[in-house]
Amino acid sequence: MTHSSTSETSVCDLLLLDVCPLGLGIEDIHGNMHTLIRRNTVIPARTELYPIFTNAYAYQTTATIRIFEGEHNLTKYNILLGEFSLSDLTSNFAAQTLEIAIRMDIDANGILHVDAEEARSGAKASFTVGSNHQRLSKDDIERHITYVESDTNFAAKSVYDRKPNDPLYLLDGQITSVTRNFSGELITSFGQTTGAPRLIKLKNVQSTRTMIEELIKLQSEDGSFTLNKDLADILHINVDIFNGLEQYLREQGFNSLALNIQNEILRLIGTGVILLWLVLQMKDLQQTMCQFLFNIEQIKVYLCNHLPANMSEQISKAIEFYQQISQRNGIYCKQLELSDSSWDMFIQLSTQLYQKSINWDNRAQGQYTDAMAKADFGSVSGWKNDRASISDGKLRITLRKNALGGESGIISNTRIPDGSAYELDFDVRFHSQFDWSRGGKVGFGFGIGNRNTGCNPPKDGAGGTLRLMWYNDNKRVYFIPYVYYYGMPGQCGDKFGKSYPSTGMSSYS
């Protein structure tokens, strides 16, 4: 008898799938990684549009989308795949008012498509990362993962771990440079304005006792005033003036705020304008109005001293409303420049700018002494009479070569009032035989607080300086800013990488 044996073998199909070796995500303004496609995700893969990003700045017109591959929470330890910009964003006057959505789509060939959208404006942009970009080796990937897993704090944040109330992630971008005041006018050099003012007619409206009594009747229970037709009728002005202001605010992105915040800010503006208009009616202030700055405590004193006693309670309610709402909506008030000292611009008072100019045409030819300098500048230090003279209506200073500070030149000081913005304009010329040497500081500048300089940065934030400096690289001469400020990156003056003119100028021209 013959025996035979049979062996049965099972054959299994093996399916090989491509996966993402590392996570793919977007960088925020702080350099943090936010993963949209996680490591080991099977490809092809497509995410939803995640509306989890926002504008980092007020008046931001673009959002920079930087795409990274890696597992670390800091993008500097990951690989940059590319970047692009989302342009034409909705007008916004405050940070974190937009919702920017981003989606990632990686196809079977490893080609990554990134889409970004901002819903209100309809702005859209896309970017493609080809499959031929430089890849990490298997060993590099393993080392990267091992390093990230060595500390639980190293892992990148994933969109899948977000909670509903988590804040949106900030994206960097460009901001508009256009500045306007409350009258809706463009601000130009030295605060001069162009365009038709919106509220200028309020300044010329003269009050009567009946008018003020009717005005108080329009005051809301919470103490506020609303810029509407009823108010316009009492003041005998066209309501389009008020409507134009509201329209201007909306054009600047005001409608990106929640409705309750819009309403509060409009009533805040209305209350502030009425309070200031009432102050303008005080006859004894007419001659000193150019020096008057809107301060809510000053407003209370002036009005309570000049208006009938039975109105004091109503005025106090208006002031209390103003204080509470401006504090509660501080971030928006700051972006709209709703600060005390800016209300004067709101209704176009006589200019509040401090201006000082020095005209040496009035000085005789010859030596320019320290007494003359003190009269013109206010104060001087280390003035050298033999180095200063007047020539053809110009102040001529002779500098000593290879010397610092007052040993080389002359220092003068002029004290100016506190403000939120400053502008300085001067002409400087060099003699045709001037020895440029290595460089130096020239012209006028600003000193604030402790006036930090001399490689002593203001670490306590109590001072700073801004000056203009020339620098000679033995080929060309440049003018550069030289600034000391809180948080500056080095010990000595920050130049911000700027030079004027950008290509320099010949040392001999």
Side-chain angles (χ1 to χ4, degrees):
M1 179 181 284
T2 302
H3 297 276
S4 64
S5 62
T6 301
S7 175
E8 295 183 358
T9 302
S10 297
V11 178
C12 298
D13 292 329
L14 181 61
L15 178 63
L16 297 178
L17 299 174
D18 281 339
V19 298
C20 295
L22 293 170
L24 299 169
I26 302 298
E27 177 191 60
D28 68 17
I29 194 172
H30 303 298
N32 295 321
M33 174 83 162
H34 301 284
T35 302
L36 272 67
I37 295 181
R38 291 183 286 193
R39 177 165 63 98
N40 292 330
T41 296
V42 175
I43 60 175
R46 178 183 174 90
T47 73
E48 61 181 276
L49 269 169
Y50 289 108
I52 58 175
F53 298 92
T54 188
N55 54 310
Y57 311 112
Y59 306 107
Q60 190 168 330
T61 57
T62 70
T64 301
I65 317 294
R66 286 167 56 86
I67 309 158
F68 282 83
E69 179 182 42
E71 296 297 306
H72 204 286
N73 66 327
L74 297 178
T75 55
K76 65 182 180 180
Y77 297 112
N78 299 330
I79 304 298
L80 175 64
L81 300 181
E83 67 176 78
F84 65 105
S85 291
L86 178 63
S87 304
D88 301 322
L89 299 179
T90 297
S91 297
N92 55 90
F93 64 85
Q96 304 178 52
T97 54
L98 306 181
E99 280 192 0
I100 299 171
I102 297 179
R103 172 176 56 219
M104 286 187 169
D105 184 348
I106 185 168
D107 65 21
N109 296 316
I111 299 175
L112 176 65
H113 303 275
V114 182
D115 301 312
E117 297 182 5
E118 195 272 302
R120 293 192 188 97
S121 64
K124 295 182 180 181
S126 300
F127 188 82
T128 299
V129 180
S131 59
N132 58 349
H133 73 274
Q134 186 177 1
R135 297 281 187 179
L136 293 177
S137 67
K138 180 180 178 182
D139 290 341
D140 288 337
I141 293 174
E142 289 179 353
R143 278 195 294 269
H144 176 76
I145 293 173
T146 299
Y147 174 66
V148 172
E149 291 179 345
S150 67
D151 190 322
T152 56
N153 294 320
F154 288 171
K157 298 177 182 177
S158 170
V159 296
Y160 304 100
D161 300 326
R162 277 182 57 85
K163 295 183 174 117
N165 295 325
D166 283 353
L168 302 180
Y169 306 128
L170 308 181
L171 294 178
D172 200 0
Q174 296 180 339
I175 62 175
T176 180
S177 59
V178 174
T179 304
R180 293 180 173 89
N181 65 17
F182 283 138
S183 298
E185 302 165 330
L186 293 176
I187 297 178
T188 58
S189 177
F190 285 99
Q192 299 300 314
T193 56
T194 60
R198 301 188 191 282
L199 301 176
I200 190 171
K201 291 186 178 180
L202 272 179
K203 184 177 66 173
N204 301 321
V205 175
Q206 298 300 314
S207 66
T208 64
R209 183 183 182 89
T210 301
M211 181 186 293
I212 293 178
E213 290 175 349
E214 291 298 316
L215 186 68
I216 294 299
K217 290 179 182 179
L218 290 182
Q219 187 177 20
S220 300
E221 184 64 29
D222 60 6
S224 66
F225 289 91
T226 302
L227 301 178
N228 56 21
K229 187 178 185 304
D230 290 338
L231 183 61
D233 289 343
I234 289 178
L235 297 175
H236 306 298
I237 60 176
N238 194 320
V239 71
D240 288 343
I241 294 175
F242 295 157
N243 294 337
L245 171 64
E246 185 171 343
Q247 178 60 32
Y248 163 74
L249 291 173
R250 297 194 187 285
E251 288 172 357
Q252 300 310 304
F254 190 60
N255 57 348
S256 65
L257 297 177
L259 289 176
N260 64 315
I261 295 178
Q262 292 183 40
N263 182 50
E264 284 192 345
I265 291 180
L266 285 172
R267 289 187 293 133
L268 172 69
I269 293 174
T271 305
V273 168
I274 294 304
L275 288 172
L276 184 55
W277 175 76
L278 288 171
V279 171
L280 283 171
Q281 307 308 307
M282 306 299 108
K283 300 299 184 183
D284 59 335
L285 291 180
Q286 296 299 317
Q287 301 301 319
T288 60
M289 189 55 68
C290 285
Q291 286 72 44
F292 177 78
L293 292 178
F294 183 100
N295 176 284
I296 199 65
E297 294 302 325
Q298 286 179 286
I299 289 288
K300 188 173 183 177
V301 171
Y302 282 123
L303 294 184
C304 289
N305 286 342
H306 291 80
L307 292 177
N310 61 350
M311 293 185 181
S312 295
E313 182 180 353
Q314 301 303 112
I315 295 300
S316 296
K317 287 178 64 175
I319 290 174
E320 184 179 352
F321 172 85
Y322 175 89
Q323 290 174 315
Q324 289 180 351
I325 300 305
S326 59
Q327 182 177 10
R328 184 158 68 211
N329 296 295
I331 182 174
Y332 308 116
C333 291
K334 181 177 180 181
Q335 298 300 339
L336 280 172
E337 299 179 4
L338 287 171
S339 57
D340 287 351
S341 61
S342 65
W343 282 103
D344 49 0
M345 289 193 301
F346 202 138
I347 63 170
Q348 291 294 288
L349 292 177
S350 301
T351 178
Q352 300 292 310
L353 290 172
Y354 171 88
Q355 297 188 27
K356 183 180 182 69
S357 61
I358 299 176
N359 183 358
W360 287 296
D361 286 330
N362 299 323
R363 293 290 184 185
Q365 297 272 102
Q367 191 177 74
Y368 185 70
T369 66
D370 58 347
M372 297 176 182
K374 287 178 181 177
D376 287 341
F377 290 102
S379 63
V380 296
S381 62
W383 197 266
K384 305 294 189 298
N385 291 345
D386 59 344
R387 293 197 211 155
S389 63
I390 299 297
S391 176
D392 297 325
K394 298 178 179 61
L395 172 62
R396 175 173 290 185
I397 303 292
T398 301
L399 306 181
R400 287 181 55 195
K401 186 176 180 180
N402 298 326
L404 298 175
E407 290 300 316
S408 171
I410 290 177
I411 300 174
S412 62
N413 298 287
T414 296
R415 296 189 63 84
I416 59 178
D418 292 341
S420 59
Y422 304 89
E423 183 171 337
L424 185 62
D425 183 33
F426 62 89
D427 294 321
V428 60
R429 298 181 181 180
F430 293 86
H431 193 277
S432 59
Q433 298 178 358
F434 182 76
D435 185 344
W436 293 96
S437 185
R438 178 185 173 187
K441 302 173 185 70
V442 67
F444 299 95
F446 291 107
I448 300 172
N450 293 336
R451 300 190 295 277
N452 294 70
T453 184
C455 294
N456 176 31
K459 295 181 179 179
D460 57 359
T465 54
L466 182 154
R467 289 170 291 170
L468 185 67
M469 187 174 186
W470 87 78
Y471 179 72
N472 183 8
D473 64 4
N474 295 321
K475 296 179 181 178
R476 310 286 287 180
V477 173
Y478 302 84
F479 288 98
I480 55 178
Y482 198 66
V483 186
Y484 284 80
Y485 58 95
Y486 178 70
M488 58 187 289
Q491 287 291 114
C492 299
D494 190 359
K495 305 174 184 63
F496 297 97
K498 302 292 185 181
S499 62
Y500 309 96
S502 58
T503 57
M505 56 187 176
S506 170
S507 299
Y508 305 102
S509 62

